[in-house]
Amino acid sequence: MNRDYWMYNTSRFSQFYIEGVQTFIRVAEENRLEKGSGSICCPCNVCKNFKTFNCTEEIEYHLLQNGFVPNYTCWSRHGETLLDCSTSSSNLHINNSTYNKDSYVVDDDHHSNDPNDNFNEMFDDMEANMGDVEQEKLHGLFEEAETPLYSGCKFMKLDVVLRLMNLKSKNGSFTGLLVLLHDIIPEDNELPISSYQAKKLMCPMGLEVERIHACPNNCMLYRKEFKNKHNCVFCGASRYKRKKDLDEVDDDVTKNGPPAKMLWYLPIIPRLKRLFSNEKEAKLLCWHSEERETDRKLRHVADSPQWRNIDKKYPEFGKEMRNIRFGLSSDGINPFGNISSRHSTWPVLLCIYNLPPWLCMKRKYIMMSLLIQGPRQPGNDIDVYLSPLIDDLKTLWSSGVDVYDAYKK
């Protein structure tokens, strides 16, 4: 009987299917004994040849319960090749004329994403269109399909490459790649299997971000002495998104639901420390004093009269070339890219004028210090949102911050 018929077009409760499964178990057991392997890949529609079991009874149970993985008429993972499976595919000498093929129809549309589908189709196409010249190439392909990726690996070299190509063609996510690599490398590996776990692992290398609640009417920020307030001290608006302002609130502000408005502050002091800890970056921060040409031509902000006026007015500040000169800019953007939307979000950016002119405006050296959420623009009340940044700038101006200079040592 044709394998494609009894494997996919008959009921899993029929005698045809049960005898076919028993035939498969015998073939797989013979292949295991021949190779001296301790386990057998399970080709059921759930395991998809990616899980192995030592007990053939468990594989038989899976096949009776879940059926075979689609298009696995050549049992290539169990010792067969396309060259000889055509002669062995009719191991069941049963007259199938008494059964109507149309009685059992299997819908395989939901298996279109199965990684093995293209694998078997590729072999089938090569077998159907193969000439004498391609025989040697086909044998080489069979060898690659049976060669482990590395010693002791349960995945074959060709199978891994095909799965990677499938992931690429489907614009696979980073999570999909992590899952694939986790399955390929040895089982005791510690590789994260999701983007979230990978980011969590990298947290110690990240920089701090402060989430500060704000009044929805742009009156104040809930920080310092107002940190535990539930309502705005100026307009009385609730701090939280609530259907009813009369709802009870918990003393712990973190348990009262999401804030009505949020300010994101990215502290600048840790970022400056990170810049000075790199020898190359620390040298660039001294460029305006050490390498700039002083021929009274205006090539850089440091050549401007205002720069010299600040140095004269604050000589202690001007004589230290490592002191940072910032330029601040802000503008509203529509993050949704929809002209009909009036949503406005305001980033506040800092560029560093100590750097050479060709680097001052590069994205790498522009710091986004504040992100003021919409939906309405802050307008004249933007100074309320600038207060965390101004506090840090005052600290840098008055007492300063100890920073290790990797360039000057």
Side-chain angles (χ1 to χ4, degrees):
M1 183 193 299
N2 191 307
R3 274 187 192 170
D4 185 63
Y5 170 58
W6 71 260
M7 290 174 68
Y8 304 110
N9 294 319
T10 62
S11 170
R12 293 198 293 272
F13 302 104
S14 67
Q15 187 65 24
F16 289 155
Y17 186 82
I18 295 173
E19 292 183 6
V21 169
Q22 293 172 352
T23 301
F24 167 79
I25 294 296
R26 287 196 298 270
V27 172
E29 184 64 31
E30 291 173 3
N31 178 64
R32 173 165 70 170
L33 294 175
E34 182 180 347
K35 289 187 174 181
S37 175
S39 58
I40 299 175
C41 297
C42 179
C44 77
N45 200 25
V46 175
C47 299
K48 300 181 188 297
N49 276 325
F50 296 140
K51 293 185 179 180
T52 59
F53 298 95
N54 296 326
C55 179
T56 56
E57 293 180 357
E58 190 164 3
I59 296 176
E60 184 176 0
Y61 174 76
H62 280 207
L63 293 174
L64 293 174
Q65 183 183 39
N66 306 318
F68 281 87
V69 64
N71 299 321
Y72 192 58
T73 53
C74 178
W75 300 334
S76 56
R77 298 295 296 273
H78 301 86
E80 287 190 350
T81 65
L82 286 174
L83 297 178
D84 58 14
C85 72
S86 59
T87 61
S88 61
S89 62
S90 182
N91 291 326
L92 295 179
H93 303 289
I94 301 175
N95 182 9
N96 58 3
S97 60
T98 58
Y99 282 81
N100 183 3
K101 287 188 179 183
D102 296 331
S103 352
Y104 305 100
V105 178
V106 179
D107 180 12
D108 286 337
D109 290 343
H110 62 288
H111 300 307
S112 58
N113 293 327
D114 177 56
N116 279 327
D117 284 354
N118 294 338
F119 188 77
N120 291 302
E121 288 175 6
M122 178 180 67
F123 276 139
D124 293 341
D125 290 342
M126 289 187 66
E127 183 186 31
N129 301 284
M130 183 177 60
D132 295 336
V133 181
E134 285 79 20
Q135 283 282 349
E136 185 175 349
K137 294 181 181 179
L138 185 60
H139 279 289
L141 197 61
F142 286 145
E143 291 179 4
E144 299 290 357
E146 296 178 356
T147 302
L149 185 63
Y150 55 86
S151 179
C153 181
K154 62 180 180 181
F155 289 96
M156 301 300 111
K157 179 180 177 182
L158 185 61
D159 187 27
V160 171
V161 173
L162 183 63
R163 292 180 68 185
L164 288 170
M165 293 301 294
N166 283 340
L167 188 66
K168 176 180 179 295
S169 65
K170 297 172 185 174
N171 296 321
S173 63
F174 181 58
T175 296
L177 179 61
L178 287 175
V179 171
L180 177 58
L181 293 176
H182 186 275
D183 290 342
I184 292 172
I185 58 182
E187 294 182 356
D188 57 347
N189 69 84
E190 297 293 335
L191 185 70
I193 58 173
S194 68
S195 299
Y196 173 78
Q197 292 180 3
K199 290 178 181 178
K200 198 76 174 176
L201 186 66
M202 298 290 290
C203 277
M205 299 179 63
L207 292 169
E208 182 183 359
V209 179
E210 293 182 15
R211 293 185 286 264
I212 305 173
H213 295 185
C215 171
N217 299 319
N218 306 322
C219 301
M220 57 170 281
L221 297 179
Y222 292 94
R223 58 191 297 266
K224 294 185 175 179
E225 67 271 20
F226 304 123
K227 185 176 181 180
N228 294 318
K229 294 286 184 181
H230 300 291
N231 297 86
C232 176
V233 297
F234 299 101
C235 69
S238 175
R239 175 176 180 167
Y240 316 102
K241 288 183 180 178
R242 291 177 175 272
K243 294 182 179 179
K244 296 181 180 179
D245 293 338
L246 300 178
D247 291 345
E248 295 183 1
V249 293
D250 194 287
D251 292 338
D252 186 352
V253 295
T254 62
K255 297 180 179 180
N256 292 303
K261 195 166 186 178
M262 179 86 78
L263 169 69
W264 300 77
Y265 177 50
L266 293 79
I268 61 173
I269 293 176
R271 300 167 86 179
L272 290 174
K273 289 183 177 181
R274 184 72 62 91
L275 282 175
F276 274 105
S277 65
N278 184 291
E279 183 175 355
K280 178 183 175 182
E281 312 291 359
K283 182 179 180 181
L284 288 173
L285 291 172
C286 299
W287 182 92
H288 69 97
S289 178
E290 294 183 338
E291 301 183 39
R292 177 176 59 90
E293 293 186 24
T294 54
D295 53 2
R296 294 190 174 276
K297 292 183 180 180
L298 193 62
R299 298 189 183 90
H300 188 266
V301 184
D303 298 320
S304 65
Q306 188 62 28
W307 187 292
R308 292 194 295 271
N309 291 339
I310 292 175
D311 287 348
K312 290 178 182 177
K313 187 174 180 180
Y314 306 101
E316 289 294 324
F317 176 82
K319 70 180 182 180
E320 175 52 73
M321 61 182 175
R322 290 172 292 191
N323 283 334
I324 301 297
R325 321 286 178 120
F326 280 125
L328 183 147
S329 61
S330 179
D331 196 6
I333 62 169
N334 182 354
F336 304 110
N338 189 350
I339 298 177
S340 63
S341 174
R342 302 177 67 179
H343 191 104
S344 182
T345 297
W346 284 66
V348 177
L349 308 176
L350 294 174
C351 55
I352 303 174
Y353 286 139
N354 298 47
L355 298 167
W358 56 88
L359 294 179
C360 280
M361 298 299 171
K362 292 291 185 181
R363 182 171 63 178
K364 177 181 178 181
Y365 297 104
I366 294 180
M367 297 182 182
M368 185 172 74
S369 57
L370 296 166
L371 187 65
I372 306 170
Q373 287 187 346
R376 298 191 302 272
Q377 60 181 349
N380 294 331
D381 297 320
I382 194 172
D383 59 313
V384 172
Y385 296 95
L386 292 175
S387 57
L389 174 61
I390 292 173
D391 288 346
D392 276 356
L393 291 175
K394 285 182 177 179
T395 300
L396 291 170
W397 177 261
S398 56
S399 60
V401 175
D402 290 330
V403 175
Y404 175 71
D405 185 351
Y407 172 55
K408 299 288 187 180
K409 308 301 180 187

